[in-house]
Amino acid sequence: MYVGVDYYPEHWPKTRWATDAKLMKAAGFNVVRLAEFAWVKMEPEEGRFDFRWLDEALSVLHKQGISAILGTPTAAMPAWVARKYPETLAMQLDGQRITWGVRKNNCFSAGAYRLLSQRITKAMAQHFAANPAVIGWQTDNEFGSPQCYCDNCKGTWQDWLKAKYGSLDEVNRAWGTHFWGHKVQTWGEIHMPADMHAHNPSLCLDWKRFWSWQNVRFQHDQTVILRRECPRHFITHNLMGFAPDVNYFDLSADLDHASWDNYPSLGGAEAYDPAASADLMRGVKGKNFWIMEQTAGPHGWGSYTRNPRPGEMRKQFFQQVGHGADGFLWFRWRSCTVGREQYWHGLLGHDGKAFRRYREAAQTAKDFHKVGKELAGTTVKAEAAMFYDYDSVWAFDIQPAYNGWNFFGANASANRYQEAVKRYHRALFRAGVNVDLVRPGQDLSGYKLVLAPHQYVMPDPLAQQLSDYVRQGGVLLCDSRTGVKDATGLCHERTLPGLLSRAFGIRIEEYEALHEGVSYATQSKTSGLPGAYQAVQTCDWITPEKAETLLAYKDWHLKGLAAVTQNKFGRGQGFYVGANFQEDAFYDHLVAGLLKAARIQPLVVPPAGVEATARQGANGTLLFLINHTEEPKAVKVPAGKVDLLTGKKTAATLQLGIYGVAILKI
Ligand code: GAL
Ligand code: ZN
């Protein structure tokens, strides 16, 4: 079990390093991440490398038993790179290159940048391969922005399309370029879309895939070198939860495990988002992950957030452990006195003194080591899976479909797909049920329940797989906008929900979007959905064929049509939700019905504000209970179980204090 901090020895005089390392050791830390922005310090001029300072820092740390993850430094290019090779700076839509001096300014197809990236990666890898302190690598930093519109990217985009489609006829067919006379007759005529809300949606979808691929290819250049030179080290990258730009399933294929940067918004009940992100971060590789950065104090680039309160950092830590984190670093060790992140506070303040936040981190590390043995080899084993589909994320960015918009969709801010995933995921979170976020197309046979909300891009084989999943006994949930588009973003020529019509026993002849302020009242037809919920935003006019109607619309013009249905198909069941609903209660009731149908029983039913997750291994189950609130909570738990943090046995009710954490061995 690794726990520690992101550390920047280059920000401080050498005379301070030993003090830092000793304080880290005293806190129980055994890992740091280093050097991910220190390119110019390691390669002060092209081809001349200087790793002496890093050797020294590593040896100071290693003396205190602290290991290191090294970052390839390509997320922030030295000034000399930009000066010698101006084409490495990304070009913006207006044809201006990005002004050097922030970070993430590079073009991913510039040959010079790729070669420079490979060279520094190779020099570092060869130099540090045998260093006993080094255990792993982080590629770059937070892959994603900016998109580049230079000629080189344009050529690479055209090449990518050629490799994907083979012929122009295929491109024209896949994009439906007979619309508005957009047929392309030479590869050179293919442009880069300037406006995601006005250009051909199929072209835009491919552009987003291409952009993601550019990041993946750039990382691949580095991982090939790292694997060759440092076969004993792991390779990871710091992902960003639900950040939409890069397909993290693809990016993680080259990694040993995923890591992510968790900056939960401090203040009140916002405990949910980090839980959802953690499930995705576990999902991208189907295994445990690391936290590479996590809030260690008030943070911001200009203004900053409130301070984590006593116990808050610790409960954020164990929330991630409960979702599968095996390694954990706080960002950052000490608040920097210089630069744009002066107020992105660390465990230590500007004064470098070990105060409350340091002490809390040390206590947390101690607790983590205490449960380390029990945690080793355990992971979250979910019986429910939810799809997470980048194609649908992107397709909804391109055409948001409903709400918060003019009909070009340009004002839509949040992503409809991500919102849909979270609506259901959040209800599962409230119910204390673990869920894996998985890539569509993956094997589903291990799951009793699959939720595929807003699965807008639905290639036929995927629809077939879902239909078979139900036929063979699975419980499936889909909802509005399911199966509208094929793999290249063309609308299917079928009555919705297309190939899933039999699994759901319905047909949808018409559908609509409901503007803000417009909603439809509904009427329950089952005790399972006892409320009168308001349908908002999106509305399918569902004709039940074989399905049972669980909820019907009340409005005169929707008589006889269903809002929510349930259908027996083969040995399984298909639930279809034709609208978004205003009330959390709708999702809570619905999820209760889904769990019942799928015969999934949570270990405990947590009270509001308490989260329950479980990790399992050969030696049993570890139940994590986390109080995300600032009031004590009582949780009904199995009695006579040991709380690994206190060593005490449980009674039938467990008391959790403010931000309290318990880990019960079941
Ligand atoms: C992260 C990034 C870190 C640091 C932090 C605070 O996204 O990876 O390098 O910049 O944010 O801004
Ligand atoms: Zn470019």
Side-chain angles (χ1 to χ4, degrees), residues 375-388:
L375 279 175
T378 65
T379 189
V380 174
K381 294 217 172 82
E383 296 177 294
M386 187 175 299
F387 277 5
Y388 191 75

Side-chain angles (χ1 to χ4, degrees), residues 95-157:
Q96 296 287 316
R97 295 204 180 269
I98 285 189
T99 306
W100 178 84
V102 185
R103 58 177 179 181
K104 310 296 296 176
N105 347 62
N106 65 282
C107 159
F108 281 115
S109 49
Y113 203 72
R114 291 183 64 197
L115 288 170
L116 290 165
S117 147
Q118 289 166 17
R119 186 158 60 189
I120 182 69
T121 301
K122 186 168 168 193
M124 283 183 82
Q126 289 182 338
H127 186 86
F128 294 107
N131 188 307
V134 178
I135 55 169
W137 295 85
Q138 172 190 299
T139 55
D140 202 269
N141 191 76
E142 297 186 337
F143 276 115
S145 57
Q147 298 200 8
C148 178
Y149 298 88
C150 76
D151 282 348
N152 201 347
C153 283
K154 187 174 181 185
T156 309
W157 158 236

Side-chain angles (χ1 to χ4, degrees), residues 528-544:
L529 289 176
Y533 319 96
Q534 292 292 317
V536 292
Q537 297 179 318
T538 174
C539 173
D540 289 336
W541 297 17
I542 303 173
T543 305

Side-chain angles (χ1 to χ4, degrees), residues 177-449:
T177 56
H178 42 296
F179 182 76
W180 282 350
H182 283 159
K183 180 173 179 181
V184 281
Q185 289 162 301
T186 71
W187 292 100
E189 282 170 7
I190 298 177
H191 61 287
M192 298 179 281
D195 181 348
M196 286 292 148
H197 301 116
H199 283 274
N200 179 316
S202 298
L203 174 152
C204 291
L205 182 58
D206 268 336
W207 171 255
K208 285 188 174 266
R209 289 166 171 155
F210 162 73
W211 179 249
S212 172
W213 172 85
Q214 286 251 74
N215 284 265
V216 174
R217 179 180 68 161
F218 184 82
Q219 175 181 261
H220 187 73
D221 288 348
Q222 297 189 353
T223 57
V224 166
I225 295 166
L226 293 170
R227 295 250 175 255
R228 191 177 59 225
E229 304 294 339
C230 305
R232 291 178 308 117
H233 296 162
F234 65 76
I235 305 175
T236 188
H237 176 73
N238 54 338
L239 310 171
M240 296 180 283
F242 280 85
D245 290 339
V246 179
N247 183 323
Y248 284 158
F249 293 100
D250 292 343
L251 192 74
S252 302
D254 278 330
L255 305 175
D256 292 295
H257 62 256
S259 300
W260 79 286
D261 296 346
N262 182 22
Y263 293 100
S265 58
L266 290 162
E270 258 331 307
Y272 164 70
D273 270 348
S277 293
D279 285 344
L280 178 58
M281 301 294 89
R282 193 179 67 253
V284 294
K285 290 234 30 123
K287 68 197 267 199
N288 288 357
F289 58 90
W290 280 43
I291 294 293
M292 195 57 88
E293 302 179 10
Q294 182 157 302
T295 302
H299 54 276
W301 275 19
S303 49
Y304 42 84
T305 66
R306 78 154 165 77
N307 202 11
R309 296 179 183 171
E312 198 169 8
M313 287 178 3
R314 179 172 173 271
K315 71 96 181 169
Q316 288 168 343
F317 179 108
F318 281 107
Q319 175 180 41
Q320 293 301 312
V321 177
H323 282 268
D326 276 349
F328 191 101
L329 292 87
W330 277 284
F331 185 92
R332 51 189 281 151
W333 170 242
R334 177 174 174 185
S335 315
C336 201
T337 55
V338 300
R340 186 36 75 180
E341 294 185 351
Q342 284 164 315
Y343 305 115
W344 209 286
H345 293 82
L347 292 178
L348 312 189
H350 293 128
D351 59 9
K353 291 189 183 153
F355 291 142
R356 181 189 63 91
R357 295 198 301 265
Y358 167 88
R359 288 197 299 272
E360 182 167 324
Q363 178 60 47
T364 307
K366 206 168 135 207
D367 290 341
F368 192 43
H369 291 309
K370 197 193 279 178
V371 298
K373 254 215 182 105
E374 295 279 357
L375 279 175
T378 65
T379 189
V380 174
K381 294 217 172 82
E383 296 177 294
M386 187 175 299
F387 277 5
Y388 191 75
D389 180 35
Y390 282 91
D391 283 343
S392 292
V393 172
W394 296 331
F396 273 108
D397 268 344
I398 295 160
Q399 291 164 304
Y402 57 85
N403 204 44
W405 53 306
N406 59 53
F407 54 68
F408 294 115
N411 296 332
S413 52
N415 182 277
R416 302 294 161 243
Y417 180 81
Q418 294 185 337
E419 288 175 337
V421 164
K422 287 184 179 180
R423 266 193 299 274
Y424 296 95
H425 185 278
R426 198 173 196 129
L428 288 160
F429 168 89
R430 287 192 293 264
V433 174
N434 286 165
V435 52
D436 287 341
L437 291 186
V438 304
R439 180 177 213 164
Q442 130 169 14
D443 175 36
L444 299 172
S445 53
Y447 295 106
K448 295 176 174 173
L449 170 65

Side-chain angles (χ1 to χ4, degrees), residues 2 17 30 32 34-35 42 50-70 122-137 229-234:
Y2 282 101
W17 294 356
N30 55 9
V32 292
L34 301 173
M42 295 188 283
D50 178 3
F51 298 118
R52 280 168 307 181
W53 67 276
L54 192 49
D55 289 337
E56 255 178 79
L58 284 166
S59 111
V60 170
L61 290 158
H62 195 53
K63 264 196 205 112
Q64 303 300 331
I66 296 166
S67 303
I69 298 160
L70 298 181
K122 186 168 168 193
M124 283 183 82
Q126 289 182 338
H127 186 86
F128 294 107
N131 188 307
V134 178
I135 55 169
W137 295 85
E229 304 294 339
C230 305
R232 291 178 308 117
H233 296 162
F234 65 76

